[in-house]
Amino acid sequence: QVQLVESGGGLVQPGGSLRLSCAASGSIFYINVMGWYRQAPGKDRELVASITNGGSANYADSVKGRFTISRDNAQKTVHLQMNSLKPEDTAVYYCKVDAKYAAWAPVYDYWGQGTQVIVSS
């Protein structure tokens, strides 16, 4: 099993910054894509940003130029630096990891418990 622990959420004023972190632990043979999703009240969960094992990043249009995703393969962590935050960024942010627990195993999706981000004055 793979466990994900997120940290870094909180309350911030518009224009401010937050950095989210997610650490993976447990039986991990290989991690492919790591990413961040978010879900605002009454809305579907959406992809915010993702990054491959090789470092290729993908961003939602709404966060391009403001958010930066990074990962440390040795530490099995993924981070999301969020700058110029807007009220519409308010949501629960979830870490997601696509990983294998053994060489012969398929890739599974693993989700963190979520961390709340509130952007408000």
Side-chain angles (χ1 to χ4, degrees), residues 8 18 36 39 43 45 77 84 96 114 119:
L18 281 175
W36 290 94
Q39 187 166 21
K43 294 189 176 181
R45 191 172 297 188
T77 56
S84 302
K96 175 179 170 286
V119 184

Side-chain angles (χ1 to χ4, degrees), residues 28-57:
I28 301 172
F29 172 77
Y30 174 76
I31 297 177
N32 187 12
V33 179
M34 306 182 84
W36 290 94
Y37 288 70
R38 67 186 181 188
Q39 187 166 21
K43 294 189 176 181
D44 293 336
R45 191 172 297 188
E46 63 175 359
L47 173 69
V48 176
S50 64
I51 185 167
T52 67
N53 184 277
S56 295

Side-chain angles (χ1 to χ4, degrees), residues 1-5 21-32 34 36 53 70-79 95-97 99-100:
Q1 273 288 5
V2 176
Q3 295 81 42
L4 301 177
V5 177
S21 295
C22 174
S25 62
S27 300
I28 301 172
F29 172 77
Y30 174 76
I31 297 177
N32 187 12
M34 306 182 84
W36 290 94
N53 184 277
S70 61
R71 65 187 279 174
D72 184 325
N73 290 332
Q75 297 295 322
K76 301 183 181 63
T77 56
V78 61
H79 308 282
C95 173
K96 175 179 170 286
V97 167
K100 302 174 61 145

